[in-house]
Amino acid sequence: MSIEFHCSSCNRLIRAPRETAGKRGKCPYCKQSVYIPLPADELEEIPLAPVNESDEQRRKRLRSEDIALAARVDHETREAPDAPASSSAAAAESAMPAPRGDSALDVEEEIIRYVMAMRDSRLGEAEDVATRLRRAGRRARQEIERMQLDEVPPAGLEGIPPGLLKGFLRTLGERLG
């Protein structure tokens, strides 16, 4: 019995012997190299990776905290109509408690430095940045969690693949405890 599939170049129907499945061959019509697929009855299902329940719970908790904060900011903005108009991000920042610990440290900037150092294999520099971030404590961990949930990477990290970025952030979060 033969395998039937369409050429990825010329889209013509090709019949190939079953023993060539999983290999590459040439299309008899356009001579382009094509992959000869496995027959459907020989395909085995690849199981999905299990969902990390703690990550899902943390994501849900952070999402509900964001919604509660946005509602509080919205409510406060409506109560004070004489207040100058400001963006919701600025209003959310002003509603947050003042940071504790090393207040001069720009946590997001330091996290970006850490990711760039890791990307460039400058491990000593990454360790120094992680030490500074450890002093920021809870504020650093919250910023890492926020960056992990953001769909759009912060300015300066756009060129890093999302999986790699999330891996660096997860590693940093684990290092900070």
Side-chain angles (χ1 to χ4, degrees):
M1 180 178 223
S2 62
I3 302 169
E4 291 185 349
F5 63 98
H6 290 273
C7 173
S8 57
S9 260
C10 67
N11 208 28
R12 303 236 353 229
L13 181 66
I14 301 173
R15 288 187 181 90
R18 199 169 180 87
E19 56 271 2
T20 61
K23 299 178 183 172
R24 296 198 70 77
K26 284 193 177 186
C27 171
Y29 305 104
C30 69
K31 307 297 184 214
Q32 290 293 316
S33 176
V34 293
Y35 174 76
I36 304 166
L38 293 170
D41 58 346
E42 289 184 21
L43 294 177
E44 69 180 71
E45 192 172 313
I46 299 173
L48 295 175
V51 174
N52 186 332
E53 288 300 322
S54 64
D55 281 350
E56 288 301 311
Q57 290 173 349
R58 182 175 43 136
R59 188 172 292 123
K60 287 178 183 176
R61 178 182 49 82
L62 289 171
R63 178 72 178 142
S64 59
E65 287 175 9
D66 285 347
I67 290 169
L69 178 61
R72 191 172 78 214
V73 167
D74 187 43
H75 179 72
E76 289 173 4
T77 305
R78 288 183 186 175
E79 282 184 353
D82 299 337
S86 64
S87 73
S88 60
E93 278 186 34
S94 66
M96 294 181 73
R100 294 183 184 158
D102 189 359
S103 60
L105 184 69
D106 182 351
V107 174
E108 182 177 357
E109 193 175 299
E110 288 295 307
I111 293 170
I112 291 171
R113 276 195 191 103
Y114 172 84
V115 170
M116 298 303 280
M118 290 297 289
R119 181 198 68 182
D120 298 338
S121 299
R122 298 187 318 258
L123 303 181
E125 183 180 335
E127 180 62 36
D128 293 343
V129 173
T131 302
R132 287 194 299 270
L133 285 168
R134 212 172 278 121
R135 283 186 239 132
R138 181 174 176 229
R139 197 165 45 114
R141 288 188 298 277
Q142 287 175 335
E143 185 65 22
I144 291 168
E145 287 178 359
R146 183 194 64 77
M147 290 171 89
Q148 285 176 319
L149 294 174
D150 279 352
E151 295 294 321
V152 178
L157 299 179
E158 300 90 353
I160 297 178
L164 186 62
L165 175 59
K166 290 196 187 270
F168 287 151
L169 293 173
R170 183 174 36 248
T171 302
L172 179 58
E174 289 168 0
R175 289 178 75 180
L176 298 182

